[in-house]
Amino acid sequence: VDSSHSGVSLSFASVFPLRALLVAAATCFTVAGAAAQASLPWTPTPYERHALQLLADEAGLPLPLSHWPLPRRAVLSAIDQLPGSLPAHLQAARDTVAAGLERAQRGSASLTVRNTDEALAGFGEDGTPGSHATLRSPALEGPWLAAQLGVRAGRATAPWDSGTEWRLDGSALVAEAAGWQLQAWSRQAWWGPGWQSSLVLSQNTAPMLGIGLQRGSASRSESPWLSWAGPWNFEFFIAQTDAAHRPADPMLIGNRLTLKPLPGLEIGFTRMVQWGGEGRDQSLRSLLRVLGGRGTNDGDTSFSGSDPGNALAGFDLRASCPTGWRCAGYVQAMGEDEAGYLPSKFLALWGLEGWSADGRHRWFGEYAETGCRMPVGKPAEKGCAYRNYAYADGYTHGGRWMGAAVGPDSRLLTLGWLDAERRTSLRLHAGRVGQRMGELGSPRDARADGRLVGLAASTEWQWGPATVTPELSWLRVNTDGGHQTQARIGATVTVPLDKLLAF
């Protein structure tokens, strides 16, 4: 973790056993055996994720589920390892996942019509406001190469741009090498076990353009030295972000290792770094220093020449309840600073989830604290979370927070319910906005921060070949400048491309 305030730099490798884990990854690279087929990245819908989690908790699905996207064939391979005969509700869950994977292979066209108010986007939702149209080609997958093209046209997502923009959303080019996927993409991601928030990488922003390396499967290592880790996946990427102020357009460098050493326990380790940008050192030496966690960050612009970047690092875990209890608890913690060679000034997230015996319903309660208050009881430090003196736009892409959508210095309690059969969800929110939710704002904007209450609801139904998804979000913030209300209303219509062309 590169300290944003205390003047001390700490390598993530000195906090968690990252060096040992990277050695494990390198060893697995050499002992991986047969190469996997090139496979495109896939992120499930909330209902498909519910089905996958149900299979993991009740049928032992050997797949980490707090790291999205994963290669599609990694998910298929895990599904194929399940018993051929499953109880009815688990078979329905397997069918849901199979249908989602098959749908992702097909081309589609979609139209989203909605207003420009903000909403607190959760897993599987598009946090960017405004209307847009999207076209996605069918997937092309061969032994060594896979590709899919997606194009989106709509309202510009950056708050400083009021025009129309075209983006390659949902595009990917993947080459396979020795069981690893070399990737170039334009996509969103979700890193963490939360359903409402991810502290480090959420779907509140527009997709980023990036390149990276990801393990092609999530299977247990065949090495006797490493099999203890259970099903695992590792990803490293470098992506281009969009910032308006100096340094303009820095890079985002991320890596995540997710392990499942026990059937009911999943652990993730994450490091994310903002690096480079206009006027910053973008030399190979600077890149190597930031990758190794070397450098200083004294909270003073006079040191900006020697500071290689701004980093967040932390961990998350999800643990199932004892056998017979249909519940699980999860936590995510990301350190913004360090003290005594350990991460400090944590952003934290806690959650508890449960599901019905028939697999139809899922409930969760989740609390996110983004104000650098951890450990519990420590006074809040304003201007710490998602902020760095050298990166004036903070931890953002296109002016929108890449972590929790509620923004920094905030508290958010969410109670959620999901009905997988009716494909309906409802979430209730309460808390406090510390700066501005959704997008970057002034650190002390009296018109944006204050007590928050709200709700979000969505449903989904079939209309012939089309899938129609109405959405409603209502948020009210009681600020010093008065009551501020955000009410997002909209609907998305998606049609398979072959059906559209046949029409």
Side-chain angles (χ1 to χ4, degrees), residues 12 23 31 45 69 89 124 133 141 144 175 196 327 332 340 349 364 371 377 399 411 427 436 440 455 458 466 479 498:
F12 186 37
V23 170
V31 302
T45 67
H89 70 292
E141 292 190 338
W144 308 106
Q196 172 58 46
C327 62
Q332 184 179 38
L349 177 150
F364 70 87
R411 301 187 296 273
R427 302 192 306 275
R436 182 186 291 273
L440 177 69
L455 63 86
S458 69
T479 75
D498 55 348

Side-chain angles (χ1 to χ4, degrees), residues 356-446:
S356 60
D358 62 1
R360 174 176 174 176
H361 302 282
R362 183 172 296 270
W363 306 271
F364 70 87
E366 185 175 303
Y367 179 74
E369 172 65 76
T370 63
C372 291
R373 295 173 62 95
M374 289 294 290
V376 175
K378 190 172 183 178
E381 181 176 337
K382 294 287 186 179
C384 165
Y386 300 151
R387 287 293 192 179
N388 178 266
Y389 77 94
Y391 291 87
D393 278 0
Y395 187 66
T396 65
H397 167 52
R400 302 186 64 80
W401 305 112
M402 292 187 285
V406 72
D409 303 329
S410 302
R411 301 187 296 273
L412 180 65
L413 173 65
T414 301
L415 302 178
W417 163 70
L418 180 151
D419 183 337
E421 183 175 309
R422 294 182 179 272
R423 290 189 169 257
T424 299
S425 68
L426 174 67
R427 302 192 306 275
L428 304 177
H429 303 299
R432 185 174 186 87
V433 178
Q435 183 175 314
R436 182 186 291 273
M437 59 185 173
E439 64 183 28
L440 177 69
S442 169
R444 293 177 176 81
D445 187 347

Side-chain angles (χ1 to χ4, degrees), residues 285-303:
R285 178 177 178 272
S286 174
L287 177 61
L288 294 176
R289 290 177 66 224
V290 82
L291 292 177
R294 293 183 170 275
T296 59
N297 190 340
D298 286 65
D300 188 316
T301 55
S302 63
F303 288 87

